[in-house]
Amino acid sequence: MDVLSGVFAAFGLSASAGLNAYIPLLVIALTARYTHWLHLNPPWDALTSLWIILLLLTLAAIEFVADKVPAVNHLNDLIHTFIRPVAGAIAFAASAGVISDLHPGLALALGLLVAGSVHTIKAGVVRPAVTATTGGAAHPPLSLAEDVTAAVVSLLSVLVPLLLGLALLLFAVALLLWLRGRRRPDRAA
């Protein structure tokens, strides 16, 4: 069960990094530093350094503010096109320590792909659609919802990864069914 929990935690943390690069890393760092729920193997245990935690808090605050300003948020997403996948790779590799047979390169690649995919959907599909339909007025509440989602998914990934894994699986199935339904031509017409 530990291996399955580790897999779900790793995927959940890297997915939330696609929304906000620093929240999952903060959750990992604080949980590993102040509780016994998460143990980080070297070199990932460097995340528990007080200096790294302070740096992550600073970067999270900057991203939080920058992502709420309608004109700045597009530049922020552009910059984070490179940062969020790397944060996802780090989150996946750091939290997948319980999976002893997983090659570190594979862990990094999986985290990179998961976070990069989430970020691509956020910055390449959702945000442009919101800009086109609301003129950017909905960006601050959408950004706040993304931050809350990243925090909740990160916390659930650490606290109850099996429950999160089931929820993510159900979400993926629902999303695939929805996408499949959208691709079918309208039979009523």
Side-chain angles (χ1 to χ4, degrees):
M1 208 53 138
D2 282 342
V3 171
L4 195 55
S5 294
V7 168
F8 285 139
F11 275 101
L13 288 162
S14 61
S16 63
L19 294 174
N20 184 304
Y22 309 110
I23 289 175
L25 295 177
L26 265 171
V27 168
I28 291 169
L30 294 171
T31 303
R33 182 174 173 103
Y34 295 111
T35 73
H36 63 280
W37 297 330
L38 185 62
H39 172 74
L40 300 180
N41 295 327
W44 312 115
D45 59 344
L47 288 170
T48 62
S49 161
L50 185 57
W51 291 108
I52 297 296
I53 291 171
L54 291 172
L55 176 64
L56 289 171
L57 282 168
T58 303
L59 292 171
I62 292 168
E63 182 177 4
F64 183 83
V65 172
D67 208 34
K68 307 300 181 279
V69 179
V72 176
N73 65 351
H74 294 295
L75 178 62
N76 185 53
D77 278 340
L78 180 65
I79 292 168
H80 279 89
T81 296
F82 304 101
I83 297 171
R84 288 181 185 134
V86 171
I90 293 168
F92 194 103
S95 61
V98 71
I99 312 167
S100 58
D101 294 336
L102 187 64
H103 189 278
L106 178 59
L108 289 169
L110 287 171
L112 188 83
L113 288 171
V114 170
S117 298
V118 171
H119 173 72
T120 299
I121 292 168
K122 169 191 171 174
V125 177
V126 174
R127 288 294 179 100
V130 169
T131 299
T133 57
T134 68
H139 282 285
L142 177 62
S143 175
L144 184 60
E146 291 166 354
D147 292 340
V148 169
T149 300
V152 168
V153 169
S154 295
L155 289 170
L156 288 176
S157 295
V158 171
L159 300 176
V160 284
L162 291 176
L163 179 63
L164 177 70
L166 179 61
L168 288 175
L169 181 63
L170 291 173
F171 176 75
V173 168
L175 181 63
L176 287 173
L177 291 173
W178 179 75
L179 288 172
R180 188 174 170 196
R182 289 193 69 202
R183 291 184 187 198
R184 289 187 183 158
D186 188 18
R187 296 176 196 257

